[in-house]
Amino acid sequence: MKNTALSHIHEQLGAKMVPFAGYNMPVSYEGVNAEHETVRKAVGVFDVSHMGEFLITGPKALDLIQKVCSNDVSKLVDGQAQYNCLPNETGGIVDDLIVYKLKDEEYLLVVNASNIDKDWDWISKNNSAGATMRNLSEDYSLLAIQGPKAIEAMQSLTSEDLSAIKFYHFKIADFAGIEHVIISATGYTGSGGFEIYCKNSEVEQVWNKVFEAGKNFGIKPIGLAARDTLRLEMGFCLYGNDINDNTSPLEAGLGWITKFTKDFTNSESLKKQKEEGVKRKLIGFELTERGIPRHDYEIVDKDGKNIGIVTSGTMAPSLNKGIGMGYVTVENSAPDTEIFIQIRNKPVAATVVKTPFYKG
């Protein structure tokens, strides 16, 4: 089991630690509902240093990324980030990721922790052009500082005007006494804030200064359990649940990051799928009766006929109701459609809704 550079601090803080993607990670500190509320109303800090970072450089860097990614990376300007996915050759998704354009011929790819080796092998296999690839995953830490008070709480730590960094843009600047830190206006919570990339040797100083600066703003450490409830309230996909090797980006509602203005892995058959239409769709739903939907629960129609499967579900702390995502047949995918979730062999009524569930 690997530790992040901050695992000892989480243990000192009394975090409940669990194995996740080969790392010893904090799942909760004071409890998921309290931590969730901290991020929605104030500011919370996640250690997500288990995530993977690949640096792709050289004259062939863009060619390689355009080939393996579904979105059009040529549209990025320096200091801009882009949500993306790596399609496989059989209609599914290798992983979803964020691509950062550092400058011409220099890109940072941030991938899911559980897929670091898989993604590295996949991109390497496709690197016939000969771009230079470096796996920085073991050397870099990542803190997500999230919540409506994040800008105000963190401004004293940098000379960069945080309020001027637009969503999905970033600056390389001083932060918490460290030079050349990536300050990125990205996150997985829907409550605003930043993600901070620095070296493992620097992250403890950053963590300590972040908590010092945020003291008067109600800052708290947040675990992976609340990260999941926060992202689910926004309808954000989680790899391994809502998207995987067998789900197409079009079925998953990721057509907006699937650009047929260029060729990429499996683009021809995905284009065909777009023209012919998908047979199932990833939807959001809210329970209209008491209950908590869970991953892999069956979805049925009013006659009890199977129409799909739940991919993510929880009791939403901000909404105080059961919510979830799942794949259903296209005929049952329109908003306001009544569906039923089989919870302990009992059909519990739900309604298809547009995401995000949490409107903020």
Side-chain angles (χ1 to χ4, degrees):
M1 191 65 59
K2 293 177 188 168
N3 285 317
T4 75
L6 296 172
S7 291
H8 63 289
I9 290 181
H10 305 311
E11 283 163 359
Q12 283 163 20
L13 290 168
K16 182 184 174 194
M17 305 294 283
V18 297
F20 183 82
Y23 280 84
N24 189 25
M25 297 297 289
V27 70
S28 64
Y29 299 84
E30 58 175 322
V32 61
N33 287 1
E35 290 169 36
H36 182 107
E37 191 174 339
T38 293
V39 175
R40 287 280 181 252
K41 294 187 173 161
V43 57
V45 185
F46 305 79
D47 175 14
V48 279
S49 303
H50 59 321
M51 300 289 281
E53 294 88 14
F54 305 156
L55 188 66
I56 315 284
T57 59
K60 297 294 181 185
L62 181 60
D63 291 350
L64 170 61
I65 298 167
Q66 287 285 66
K67 180 181 171 185
V68 296
C69 287
S70 60
N71 209 341
D72 189 354
V73 180
S74 71
K75 297 279 190 260
L76 294 182
V77 296
D78 296 4
Q80 190 177 5
Q82 184 189 66
Y83 182 56
N84 225 313
C85 83
L86 302 171
N88 63 23
E89 284 157 340
T90 53
I93 298 171
V94 177
D95 202 5
D96 63 335
L97 71 159
I98 296 182
V99 177
Y100 291 84
K101 184 176 183 185
L102 304 173
K103 57 185 183 194
D104 282 346
E105 301 187 3
E106 203 167 300
Y107 298 84
L108 183 70
L109 275 49
V110 178
V111 303
N112 283 301
S114 48
N115 289 335
I116 292 172
D117 294 340
K118 174 191 177 191
D119 293 358
W120 179 263
D121 292 346
W122 177 258
I123 298 168
S124 302
K125 188 182 98 169
N126 283 283
N127 188 16
S128 51
T132 304
M133 293 175 56
R134 280 175 64 202
N135 187 347
L136 306 177
S137 306
E138 298 281 323
D139 308 318
Y140 277 78
S141 291
L142 170 55
L143 298 181
I145 305 166
Q146 299 282 296
K149 294 185 181 173
I151 291 177
E152 207 185 341
M154 295 301 112
Q155 188 55 69
S156 66
L157 295 179
T158 178
S159 59
E160 197 64 49
D161 178 0
L162 295 177
S163 64
I165 306 176
K166 294 192 300 223
F167 190 49
Y168 264 78
H169 287 71
F170 66 94
K171 293 284 182 188
I172 298 173
D174 60 287
F175 188 84
I178 309 284
E179 295 298 320
H180 308 300
V181 169
I182 294 178
I183 307 170
S184 174
T186 47
Y188 199 41
T189 65
S191 281
F194 297 92
E195 294 185 307
I196 303 292
Y197 296 84
C198 63
K199 292 186 177 127
N200 291 347
S201 56
E202 301 165 339
V203 72
E204 193 166 339
Q205 176 179 321
V206 173
W207 175 276
N208 290 335
K209 292 206 169 184
V210 160
F211 276 87
E212 224 170 280
K215 201 166 52 202
N216 296 332
F217 297 90
I219 199 166
K220 288 181 180 175
I222 313 292
L224 293 181
R227 184 170 153 87
D228 194 51
T229 55
L230 289 157
R231 71 91 195 167
L232 187 44
E233 285 188 346
M234 294 307 295
F236 295 153
C237 289
L238 173 64
Y239 193 89
N241 280 39
D242 316 299
I243 50 176
N244 59 40
D245 289 305
N246 304 310
T247 59
S248 105
L250 302 174
E251 292 173 334
L254 299 178
W256 63 282
I257 62 163
T258 309
K259 299 289 164 63
F260 298 112
T261 48
K262 57 157 202 166
D263 287 333
F264 57 86
T265 305
N266 206 38
S267 55
E268 280 307 306
S269 63
L270 287 173
K271 199 172 182 179
K272 192 169 172 229
Q273 186 182 55
K274 187 183 179 179
E275 285 157 7
E276 291 173 358
V278 294
K279 306 228 177 350
R280 60 174 188 165
K281 265 187 181 170
L282 184 64
I283 51 113
F285 62 83
E286 289 180 353
L287 296 193
T288 50
E289 301 172 0
R290 294 298 293 171
I292 304 175
R294 297 288 185 206
H295 178 67
D296 276 350
Y297 282 9
E298 194 183 358
I299 304 176
V300 297
D301 65 12
K302 63 180 188 311
D303 303 319
K305 182 177 161 233
N306 178 294
I307 55 167
I309 194 157
V310 175
T311 54
S312 287
T314 196
M315 174 62 71
S318 307
L319 310 168
N320 198 28
K321 61 170 92 163
I323 63 167
M325 287 159 66
Y327 285 94
V328 296
T329 52
V330 170
E331 303 76 49
N332 292 283
S333 67
D336 300 324
T337 304
E338 188 178 40
I339 58 174
F340 295 85
I341 314 302
Q342 287 284 27
I343 301 178
R344 296 190 196 88
N345 299 323
K346 178 180 172 272
V348 176
T351 305
V352 177
V353 296
K354 275 198 167 122
T355 56
F357 302 96
Y358 175 74
K359 306 293 194 271

